[in-house]
Amino acid sequence: CQLQSAVHEALSDWTRSGQTGADLSSQLLLVRETLAGMTGEQKEFAARQATYEVLEEALERLAEQDETGAKVLRFRFFDGEITRQVAARLHASPDQVNRWQRLAIENLTSLLMSSEMKRREELSQMMLEGLPAAPYSRLFGFQVLQTEIAGQLLRQGEPLVIALSGIGGIGKTSLADAVARLVAPALVFERIIWLRAVTEPFASEESARRSWAQFESALCQALLADGDEGESREAVQGRLVELLHARPILVCIDNLEQEEQTVFFLEQIRRLAGPSKFLLTTRARPTVSAPAYFRTLEDLEFAAVTELLRHQDRVTGTDVLKAAADDDLQAIYEVTGGNPLALRLVAGLSAVMSLQDILHGLETSQPGPIEDMYQRLYWEAWQTLTQEAQS
């Protein structure tokens, strides 16, 4: 495999006169982390030294399971002995030494890969700790869009800012969360920060400024170590810009609602982005000239609606929708418009109300805006509670 060839090359280059030593930093995070921790005189031959340290540690572990193989690699590559010399030392034939060497390199590569995967999993999990608990158990209808957005985040350069727009309850937060979880294992970003924007009831330029100031303060708190006690706000902002421009960090901003707020955030974010990237969720969709890669979420299609309803049925254990006819599911689809939140509310109500009653209530109320539909569904749910539960 490619890594095995690179390991062999790194071992072979170690004793070559005049060579700087092949390094594995392009293939192994373990080497890059070792390299990042080096200072002072180590920097002169940093890549060579980092590669050596990682190989040395792996050789020590190899010796625990294949002592002879580890000796062959040390004699051949670290001590620079030729095959005949190693054969004489180990009282074996040159062909036997070559077989031991091939197997030892294969096992050494496996040990390196095992350590690499373990370290990557650790870092991936550390990044995911910055996310809130997933607001969904399974994502429906947005898999293609999830893959697209993740691909845009993982590519170098633009787009640096991506915005998911759509009406309330359409699944923006769930999709953003799913995208963040999809990109984390690639380790393109050093950290993932998730922050929820504060939105005031009445939109204005001043309210947008206040919302941004609160967000910026929270971002500084999440990313920056405490500075000097008398450090000015401008100095803190300067350190934030410097950090985001120096290290790739993914910043997720959830809950933007108003157009004024969204436009102001986009204007401010552009000075922070690169190589760090930003993923936003917003109810507003500014003009096409807005400085961001926009994707608008649409209502689910009928096939995804059916999957979601029956999945929710299994999750709650009600089994009411399990036997529902396609006509009933179609009626739910037509009334809710395929809105995921409305669908989950309907599925929850089906445990205590008949589908006919739920649908009749929604049809006769003529809810109009999605918020009115939520209000009606929550009211229906409230009515099913006992007086004690309501109090």
Side-chain angles (χ1 to χ4, degrees), residues 237-249:
Q237 291 172 333
R239 286 201 293 131
L240 178 65
V241 172
E242 183 179 352
L243 174 63
L244 292 172
H245 285 178
R247 296 166 53 190
I249 295 169

Side-chain angles (χ1 to χ4, degrees), residues 327-378:
D327 288 345
D328 291 329
L329 298 178
Q330 182 68 38
I332 295 174
Y333 173 57
E334 291 175 357
V335 171
T336 61
N339 183 279
L341 178 56
L343 290 166
R344 286 195 293 270
L345 291 173
V346 168
L349 280 173
S350 68
V352 291
M353 295 176 62
S354 70
L355 286 178
Q356 288 71 23
D357 288 342
I358 297 172
L359 294 172
H360 178 72
L362 289 174
E363 289 169 348
T364 56
S365 65
Q366 297 180 345
I370 190 66
E371 289 80 4
D372 294 342
M373 182 188 295
Y374 296 154
Q375 184 176 9
R376 178 68 182 182
L377 287 167
Y378 283 123

Side-chain angles (χ1 to χ4, degrees), residues 203-383:
S204 67
E205 184 177 342
E206 282 305 310
S207 67
R209 289 182 181 278
R210 286 192 293 269
S211 181
W212 172 259
Q214 290 173 301
F215 160 77
E216 190 177 50
S217 176
L219 186 58
C220 288
Q221 187 174 359
L223 289 176
L224 302 178
D226 294 336
D228 297 333
E229 187 173 339
E231 189 175 23
S232 67
R233 179 183 176 186
E234 289 74 17
V236 174
Q237 291 172 333
R239 286 201 293 131
L240 178 65
V241 172
E242 183 179 352
L243 174 63
L244 292 172
H245 285 178
R247 296 166 53 190
I249 295 169
L250 175 59
V251 181
C252 303
I253 310 175
D254 190 28
N255 196 45
L256 294 172
E257 294 187 3
Q258 303 145 348
E259 183 171 351
E260 293 87 344
Q261 181 191 34
T262 301
V263 169
F264 191 86
F265 268 64
L266 290 175
E267 292 172 350
Q268 301 303 313
I269 284 170
R270 292 303 301 189
R271 65 184 174 83
L272 303 179
S276 293
K277 294 195 175 189
F278 289 76
L279 177 62
L280 289 65
T281 71
T282 175
R283 294 192 184 190
R285 173 63 194 261
T287 63
V288 292
S289 61
Y293 183 99
F294 265 92
R295 281 294 179 265
T296 300
L297 278 63
E298 305 291 346
D299 290 328
L300 299 180
E301 296 182 355
F302 180 65
V305 167
T306 301
E307 287 186 49
L308 188 154
L309 287 172
R310 288 187 167 144
H311 172 76
Q312 198 71 16
D313 208 32
R314 290 192 296 272
V315 169
T316 58
T318 56
D319 288 334
V320 174
L321 299 174
K322 181 178 180 180
D326 286 344
D327 288 345
D328 291 329
L329 298 178
Q330 182 68 38
I332 295 174
Y333 173 57
E334 291 175 357
V335 171
T336 61
N339 183 279
L341 178 56
L343 290 166
R344 286 195 293 270
L345 291 173
V346 168
L349 280 173
S350 68
V352 291
M353 295 176 62
S354 70
L355 286 178
Q356 288 71 23
D357 288 342
I358 297 172
L359 294 172
H360 178 72
L362 289 174
E363 289 169 348
T364 56
S365 65
Q366 297 180 345
I370 190 66
E371 289 80 4
D372 294 342
M373 182 188 295
Y374 296 154
Q375 184 176 9
R376 178 68 182 182
L377 287 167
Y378 283 123
W379 172 250
E380 295 284 3
W382 176 261
Q383 292 293 92

Side-chain angles (χ1 to χ4, degrees), residues 17-32:
S17 176
Q19 298 290 324
T20 58
D23 72 271
L24 298 172
S25 60
S26 64
Q27 299 195 45
L28 291 178
L29 173 68
L30 296 171
V31 176
R32 292 197 295 275

